Amino acid sequence: PGGKKVEASYGLSAPQAQVTLTTGTSTIAGMPPPMTETVTFAIGAASPGKNKQYFIKSSQSAWVARANEWHIKPLLEKGPADLVKKAE
């Protein structure tokens, strides 16, 4: 973790991207789960330096973390159509 203080230079007040995941468990195939949990991850600015990392923050945590560019860059290069599976 990078700490709990969110600096303006982290770019999290206007993130480059946000990823929202909704999860849950259902015991009946094909039925939505009765309870779900939603978490949003904000992807902020890249840190300077040779080993570029991006500042990230979860909606469920006070901590700011860093993720390596090779984890984050593919997400930033995708559009909505790349993330939705079309029905066959």
Side-chain angles (χ1 to χ4, degrees):
K4 290 185 178 182
K5 186 174 182 183
V6 179
E7 303 283 345
S9 63
Y10 294 175
L12 293 167
S13 61
Q16 295 186 54
Q18 290 188 344
V19 178
T20 301
L21 303 174
T22 302
T23 61
T25 303
S26 178
T27 57
I28 303 171
M31 296 297 295
M35 294 176 53
T36 60
E37 183 176 19
T38 300
V39 180
T40 300
F41 296 92
I43 301 172
S47 62
K50 181 181 174 187
N51 297 322
K52 194 178 286 186
Q53 296 181 322
Y54 286 83
F55 294 99
I56 59 172
K57 184 160 184 338
S58 163
S59 61
Q60 292 190 339
S61 176
W63 291 91
V64 174
R66 293 182 192 193
N68 290 321
E69 180 180 43
W70 53 272
H71 278 107
I72 301 300
K73 195 169 181 181
L75 288 173
L76 296 177
E77 293 172 345
K78 294 194 182 300
D82 299 319
L83 302 173
V84 176
K85 183 178 180 181
K86 295 181 181 179
E88 296 178 9

